[in-house]
Amino acid sequence: NNCISDCSEECNTGIAILNFRFFGGERKVMAVTINEFQLNIDTFSPLYETDITGFIRRGSNSIKIIPKSEFEIETMQVFVR
């Protein structure tokens, strides 16, 4: 069962979302590794959101961000919707 460890019952039916809010409107290019899965992100938007339900597991998870361009992250959140 893929689930964030400290979530409630909604975890069993919910969708895990990775959400970024960036400063500025420049192009943001990065590789994001969640556990052993890699996402490639290329956006001009100040907001970026994607479903990561299939990438997470119960207990500890790791997220690694490898920037491919220069940008600044205002916030990064993972939540269950």
Side-chain angles (χ1 to χ4, degrees):
N1 183 11
N2 292 335
C3 186
I4 299 170
S5 64
D6 62 351
C7 63
S8 64
E9 280 302 309
E10 69 186 19
C11 219
N12 295 321
T13 58
I15 297 169
I17 301 294
L18 173 63
N19 175 280
F20 285 100
R21 181 180 300 272
F22 301 100
F23 289 107
E26 72 279 351
R27 184 177 182 197
K28 280 78 64 182
V29 182
M30 69 187 103
V32 178
T33 303
I34 302 168
N35 299 317
E36 66 274 9
F37 301 99
Q38 185 169 321
L39 295 169
N40 292 303
I41 298 173
D42 187 344
T43 185
F44 284 91
S45 176
L47 301 171
Y48 181 84
E49 189 172 281
T50 191
D51 178 353
I52 60 167
T53 305
F55 301 164
I56 61 171
R57 58 182 171 252
R58 185 173 296 282
S60 296
N61 291 270
S62 65
I63 297 177
K64 181 178 182 180
I65 301 168
I66 302 168
K68 307 288 184 174
S69 67
E70 198 167 310
F71 57 88
E72 191 173 350
I73 298 171
E74 182 177 349
T75 61
M76 182 189 83
Q77 299 176 315
V78 175
F79 58 90
V80 176
R81 180 180 290 154

